[in-house]
Amino acid sequence: MADPSTADLAKQLADTQTSMNLMWTLLGGFLVMFMQAGFAFVETGLVRKKNVAHTMGMNVFVYAIGILGFWACGFALQMGGVGALSTFGGDATLSRELIVHIGGKEFGLFGMKGFFLPAALFTAPVAATFLFQMVFMDTAATIPTGAMSERWKFLSFVLFSVFVSTLIYPIYANWTWGGGWLSMLGKNYGLGHGHVDFAGSSVVHMTGGVMGFVGARTLGPRIGKYGKDGTVHPIPGHNIPMVVMGTIILAFGWFGFNAGSTLAGTDPRIAVIATNTMLASASGAALAYLTSTLKFGKPDLTMICNGLLAGLVAITAPCAFVSPGAAVAIGAIAGALVVLATVFIERVLKVDDPVGASAVHGVCGAWGIVALGLFANGTYGDGLNGVAGNVRGLFYGDNKQLIAELIGIGANILWVAPMTVLTLAIVGKLVGNRSRAEDEMAGLDVPDLGTPGYADDVPVSVAEEEKPAPKAVGAAEMAS
Amino acid sequence: MKKIEALVRTHKLDDVKEALGHVGIHGMTVSECRGFGRTHGKLEVYRGSAYTVEFVPKLKIEVVVPDGMVHQVMTAIVEAARSGQIGDGKIFVTEVLEAVRIRTGERGDDAL
């Protein structure tokens, strides 16, 4: 038997590496998918028991709607023009981006290949990309269900989520991850590596947070949240153990979210990313503990949970580019910020966000993007977005990277906020967004879904026409 | 002394509590309960099968007041708890023979 040639060995090695990268990316995607359970638990724990089925229902159904919307349209708009998938063997199936030329520069607006995942395009690299990007989109789509909970008509939620998965999320994701104009700011204008967001502080979390904030504001506060004179009435969540369990599930899934975003198990950076992720979650919880103790007199457990999540949201963008000390600092600032922002949104802006999603995902997502522009230390990211050299933030000598990050934040708000207003206006015209007052007061479980989340063993009777005939008890039976 | 027992919609608790505060009532007992009246519950559908929730959740608010306050307390509850729709609830008034504040041993109206 002839010895394999060097070329054969090189090909086998490359194929093995591609397989490892596919495995790693899929594993990350599976972990992120499980974050849906974390969101379901956190959100449902923070609402009242009369809205349990409704909130859980939104969290499971957004997953299904999201997959179909992303399959039909969202994936093509987001990734249709991304070009060669370098960690998956350079598969170049997704090759068509709508580009406009302004002043001799290219501005990618959205992809145009992959609608309904045609069989001809369905290579293993494309399939893995679809699955991975889909669960990230789902994370963004499920964030508003918390901010808008306890008063959002189920049908309106369904229609809104179709728009999120087909249009609102994919466009911004294309600009940052799909080869669009935000990612080209470095190549076109010398702004660092363009808008860099490693795993989605802006693409996923800000998008979700901005939709949640605008949505909560559009729906208006829950009945009884604010007194006639504007006093704030607390509405405590009904199940703190659920909130804690959900938080831990989310923190677990986040390892897939951040470390998976290398799209490469062969990239040793995954260890750095996972550890930075862990560190930021800890300092986020610690500072939320301190801030809530100083502000309220006692540590607030729901704030500790939100602080842990805020640290995770903030480290999501910079996780691959920063030192461990910076990760701790980024999480810590997020932990303090989330407490202050939650109180500010509730008491000053008077926007009723029952779970604090606007603060956790919106505010701390934006902070994570800024943090990348400050703390990126020049040890990773060579060649990212077509720019040579590693990614450096302001503290490591590149102030232009920070400018690109700020443009990314501005673009997110300017795209997502008006689109949310417009979508809710359209959906509101069609079916109405806000639940009827009497349904809201009774709890949305039964009016919207026909069954309470926690059914009591209360006597019920079937409707007259379906009632079985009463069984006659014969004398013989009684005697025996 | 009279005991006023008001069965009201669950979300009316804050309104009733506030209205009672305005007429000088600062103590009350509240319990979750279920019941039905002339309307016999609500028809719902679960997995395609119709069923009736015969016992609708309500709150029972109990206050014991000196005889002279009965009228204004009842008026306050009615105004706060009424929506005009079926299912607003009922108020019952009964005679109370004695009251004792356990800590001090005070009796009668002094114990209220």
Side-chain angles (χ1 to χ4, degrees):
Chain A
M1 204 170 84
D3 287 338
S5 70
T6 315
D8 286 341
L9 284 174
K11 183 177 183 313
Q12 282 173 18
L13 181 63
D15 287 350
T16 307
Q17 288 190 331
T18 298
S19 295
M20 282 178 69
N21 293 343
L22 284 169
M23 274 174 62
W24 176 250
T25 303
L26 288 172
L27 180 65
F30 302 156
L31 282 169
V32 176
M33 181 273 168
F34 193 55
M35 286 169 70
Q36 188 67 69
F39 279 107
F41 273 22
V42 169
E43 291 178 12
T44 304
L46 285 172
V47 302
R48 289 164 289 181
K49 59 177 182 276
K50 62 185 181 180
N51 292 311
V52 164
H54 188 267
T55 309
M56 274 284 180
M58 291 196 290
N59 272 282
V60 67
F61 200 42
V62 75
Y63 175 65
I65 301 167
I67 293 170
L68 295 175
F70 206 61
W71 166 70
C73 178
F75 178 70
L77 292 181
Q78 181 185 330
M79 302 305 284
V82 71
L85 302 166
S86 59
T87 62
F88 301 155
D91 183 294
T93 310
L94 300 167
S95 57
R96 202 177 308 139
E97 175 86 359
L98 181 86
I99 294 170
V100 294
H101 296 267
I102 301 173
K105 312 281 189 196
E106 294 188 341
F107 285 76
L109 293 182
F110 53 84
M112 294 194 295
K113 213 169 166 187
F115 296 98
F116 297 97
L117 282 179
L121 298 189
F122 202 46
T123 62
V126 170
T129 304
F130 177 87
L131 187 145
F132 193 74
Q133 297 300 339
M134 152 54 214
V135 289
F136 278 64
M137 187 289 299
D138 179 49
T139 302
T142 202
I143 290 167
T145 64
M148 298 163 75
S149 57
E150 302 207 90
R151 68 240 198 249
W152 195 9
K153 243 188 213 175
F154 201 81
L155 181 55
S156 164
F157 143 76
V158 170
L159 297 177
F160 180 76
S161 300
V162 171
F163 281 93
V164 176
S165 62
T166 52
L167 189 65
I168 300 177
Y169 176 92
I171 295 293
Y172 185 80
N174 174 276
W175 296 349
T176 307
W177 289 343
W181 65 276
L182 281 173
S183 68
M184 303 307 284
L185 288 174
K187 213 172 164 189
N188 280 343
Y189 297 104
L191 296 174
H193 286 67
H195 174 49
V196 173
D197 181 353
F198 190 73
S201 288
S202 64
V203 175
V204 178
H205 296 284
M206 260 194 87
T207 299
V210 170
M211 288 191 296
F213 177 80
V214 174
R217 198 167 173 278
T218 306
L219 288 182
R222 291 167 290 174
I223 295 167
K225 177 63 190 176
Y226 297 105
K228 290 178 193 88
D229 50 353
T231 48
V232 179
H233 299 161
I235 303 180
H238 88 288
N239 191 327
I240 296 303
M242 267 181 119
V243 177
V244 173
M245 191 66 210
T247 303
I248 293 170
I249 291 173
L250 283 167
F252 175 65
W254 230 287
F255 290 120
F257 208 94
N258 286 0
S261 289
T262 55
L263 310 177
T266 51
D267 183 348
R269 198 71 178 183
I270 55 181
V272 166
I273 294 167
T275 307
N276 276 344
T277 301
M278 180 182 256
L279 287 170
S281 69
S283 56
L287 260 286
Y289 166 81
L290 280 177
T291 312
S292 64
T293 306
L294 291 174
K295 231 175 140 47
F296 312 131
K298 284 182 191 176
D300 180 316
L301 183 52
T302 65
M303 284 294 185
I304 291 174
C305 287
N306 271 354
L308 194 132
L309 298 177
L312 289 165
V313 167
I315 200 64
T316 296
C319 58
F321 306 106
V322 298
S323 65
V328 171
I330 290 166
I333 291 169
L337 197 56
V338 75
V339 178
L340 303 176
T342 303
V343 171
F344 181 77
I345 290 167
E346 178 186 60
R347 304 205 180 146
V348 180
L349 301 181
K350 301 258 194 263
V351 170
D352 181 19
D353 176 346
V355 309
S358 312
V360 172
H361 300 279
V363 175
C364 293
W367 158 239
I369 294 297
V370 172
L372 188 153
L374 298 175
F375 290 101
N377 63 4
T379 57
Y380 188 71
D382 188 16
L384 188 65
N385 289 337
V387 178
N390 289 331
V391 179
R392 286 174 198 281
L394 182 66
F395 299 155
Y396 295 86
D398 186 358
N399 58 352
K400 297 213 173 111
Q401 184 63 49
L402 180 61
I403 294 171
E405 300 305 317
L406 294 175
I407 293 173
I409 293 174
N412 185 289
I413 295 169
L414 289 177
W415 167 253
V416 177
M419 283 305 291
T420 307
V421 170
L422 182 67
T423 305
L424 284 174
I426 294 168
V427 173
K429 269 263 185 280
L430 290 175
V431 299
N433 292 318
R434 173 108 191 194
S435 301
R436 294 188 308 169
E438 57 196 279
D439 293 345
E440 184 181 337
M441 287 187 281
L444 301 179
D445 287 2
V446 175
D448 276 20
L449 297 170
T451 184
Y454 300 119
D456 305 309
D457 297 338
V458 67
V460 298
S461 67
V462 294
E464 280 307 316
E465 64 271 28
E466 292 181 40
K467 200 176 261 182
K471 197 176 156 194
V473 181
E477 263 180 77
M478 288 179 77
S480 66
Chain B
M1 282 176 298
K2 298 273 195 293
K3 178 161 83 167
I4 300 174
E5 242 174 52
L7 295 152
V8 301
R9 294 179 189 274
T10 50
H11 62 264
K12 288 289 189 184
L13 177 63
D14 283 342
D15 294 338
V16 172
K17 193 189 80 184
E18 202 185 317
L20 288 174
H22 286 314
V23 296
I25 302 292
H26 297 293
M28 65 194 70
T29 305
V30 175
S31 31
E32 293 179 34
C33 57
R34 287 173 179 279
F36 63 84
R38 282 182 298 178
T39 48
H40 275 270
K42 266 170 83 178
L43 190 71
E44 294 293 350
V45 177
Y46 175 68
R47 290 189 178 171
S49 306
Y51 70 95
T52 312
V53 181
E54 294 209 305
F55 295 88
V56 180
K58 293 279 177 211
L59 283 180
K60 183 164 75 173
I61 302 171
E62 291 166 282
V63 285
V64 178
V65 300
D67 288 346
M69 285 182 71
V70 172
H71 180 71
Q72 67 181 127
V73 168
M74 282 174 62
T75 312
I77 295 175
V78 167
E79 281 174 7
R82 176 187 285 157
S83 73
Q85 305 294 311
I86 287 167
D88 274 349
K90 283 199 170 61
I91 298 177
F92 301 106
V93 182
T94 49
E95 196 74 51
V96 174
L97 299 177
E98 183 59 296
V100 181
R101 176 172 281 120
I102 293 176
R103 176 171 56 86
T104 58
E106 288 164 286
R107 283 170 178 260
D109 285 356
D110 290 339
L112 298 179

